[in-house]
Amino acid sequence: MSRLMSTLRLSGVLMVSWAGPAFSVCVHDATELAAQIQAAQSNVDATEIRLVTGNYMLSGPLTYSGASALTLRGGFAAADCSGKPQADGALTVIDGGGVPGRYVSIVSAGNITLRSLTLQNLRGDPQHADAVGLASIGLEAAADVENVIVAGSVATDSILKLMAPGHVHLANTLVHGNSATQAALLTTPFPFVLVPAVQALNNTIADNTGKGLVTALYAAPLPIQIHNNILYNNTV
């Protein structure tokens, strides 16, 4: 039988829920978000962190390094994250405030998924060259980003880096107004992978200082889909 447990966030009590094998938690501000990402590192099951719509102003980096899959999903209008989330990434904003050292770094042996978020004004530092770096390191793991906006960020390497040996998926995403070596990098880093898949579908990558869309693939043959993307006014 699937597990289902939920509690309401009333008077400052954090609401959590179980649905099947994956643990999910609803967060409402940047402090809760950072705490739940750290807590997820010790979870055995996959974790989905659900973000109520609004602005999440970071006070430091968002970092995760763990063995289990992690999903960050924005767009929930209800305070208890009930109901269907809205797909529009502009409704749920994670903001670095333009301060160096406020970046997003997720490294997981499982799948990494971002949905319906804006990631803006992020800055890498000398130890973290990407503004948003997602690295799935499990043999068949995936990095999956959809309905996300990445804007106003600065990095020495990539604004948005998706790295996975199994499946790399970037769809319906806007990357604009950033400065880095490349705006979006899709890579399958491990040559021993049998047949990874790379997809870039319906994205707009525009007005970035640096290369627009870069793929770095280390296995062949690869099922690659790069379809219906707009690459405009990206400069080196």
Side-chain angles (χ1 to χ4, degrees):
M1 295 178 63
S2 65
R3 292 168 292 178
L4 179 62
M5 180 193 74
S6 65
T7 62
L8 294 180
R9 184 185 186 272
L10 297 174
S11 301
V13 177
L14 186 67
M15 177 198 59
V16 298
S17 65
W18 280 93
F23 176 75
S24 66
V25 60
C26 182
V27 299
H28 310 79
D29 56 44
T31 300
E32 290 182 358
L33 174 60
Q36 291 303 320
I37 286 178
Q38 290 302 303
Q41 295 181 138
S42 60
N43 287 351
V44 175
D45 291 326
T47 298
E48 179 169 295
I49 299 176
R50 299 174 178 175
L51 287 77
V52 173
T53 55
N55 190 277
Y56 292 70
M57 179 61 71
L58 301 182
S59 59
L62 281 183
T63 62
Y64 172 91
S65 179
S68 300
L70 179 67
T71 296
L72 302 183
R73 188 183 303 275
F76 289 91
D80 62 355
C81 291
S82 61
K84 184 178 179 180
Q86 301 176 76
D88 185 358
L91 300 176
T92 311
V93 180
I94 297 174
D95 196 327
V99 178
R102 295 184 183 176
Y103 54 84
V104 176
S105 174
I106 301 175
V107 180
S108 174
N111 298 333
I112 300 171
T113 304
L114 300 186
R115 286 287 188 278
S116 305
L117 296 168
T118 290
L119 306 169
Q120 69 182 25
N121 302 324
L122 301 170
R123 299 289 187 273
D125 62 20
Q127 288 74 44
H128 297 85
D130 305 313
V132 181
L134 311 180
S136 298
I137 58 176
L139 182 59
E140 297 182 354
D144 187 350
V145 173
E146 191 164 340
N147 295 326
V148 168
I149 300 167
V150 187
S153 298
V154 176
T156 57
D157 191 344
S158 301
I159 293 299
L160 175 62
K161 179 183 288 183
L162 278 63
M163 183 170 67
H167 184 76
V168 176
H169 176 79
L170 179 67
N172 304 316
T173 288
L174 171 63
V175 182
H176 76 102
N178 304 286
S179 179
T181 301
Q182 54 252 335
L185 172 63
L186 311 182
T187 179
T188 57
F190 308 116
F192 56 79
V193 175
L194 296 178
V195 187
V198 175
Q199 294 179 316
L201 309 174
N202 308 318
N203 303 293
T204 297
I205 301 174
D207 300 320
N208 298 288
T209 300
K211 300 173 184 175
L213 176 64
V214 177
T215 58
L217 312 176
Y218 296 93
L222 288 174
I224 300 174
Q225 288 182 290
I226 299 178
H227 177 69
N228 200 36
N229 299 284
I230 298 172
L231 305 176
Y232 175 76
N233 200 34
N234 301 294
T235 61
V236 178

